Amino acid sequence: MKLNIDFKWYQWLFGVISLILASFLTHEIFATLAESQPGTVKVLSLLIGIPLIIFLYLTFGLRSALKKSKSSVTD
């Protein structure tokens, strides 16, 4: 079984930031729901969720875009 792991350093950085944001968002959602403030969940989802989606795109979308550009250059 051969694993083809070819991540650049910045993709690892974006991935770590995504994990941190996802765990922080999860913690804050459960904390605000425990405090019975469901309106705050919407605000936190926007404030933390949008950067999370951006960093997830930078992690995985950029990887697939780079992979496609490499394959078109070698063809």
Side-chain angles (χ1 to χ4, degrees):
M1 184 168 103
K2 183 180 177 185
L3 294 174
N4 187 11
I5 300 175
D6 187 29
F7 282 104
K8 304 290 182 196
W9 66 269
Y10 50 86
Q11 292 170 320
W12 285 104
L13 180 66
F14 293 150
V16 168
I17 292 171
S18 298
L19 284 174
I20 291 169
L21 284 173
S23 64
F24 182 66
L25 179 62
T26 305
H27 173 269
E28 291 300 316
I29 285 175
F30 284 118
T32 55
L33 288 176
E35 293 177 358
S36 300
Q37 297 179 358
T40 311
V41 173
K42 295 175 187 174
V43 175
L44 284 173
S45 296
L46 287 174
L47 290 177
I48 302 170
I50 291 173
L52 173 62
I53 290 170
I54 291 169
F55 277 108
L56 283 173
Y57 173 76
L58 288 174
T59 303
F60 296 107
L62 187 63
R63 175 168 169 71
S64 65
L66 289 174
K67 190 183 251 187
K68 286 180 186 176
S69 69
K70 274 186 181 178
S71 66
S72 66
V73 170
T74 58
D75 289 344

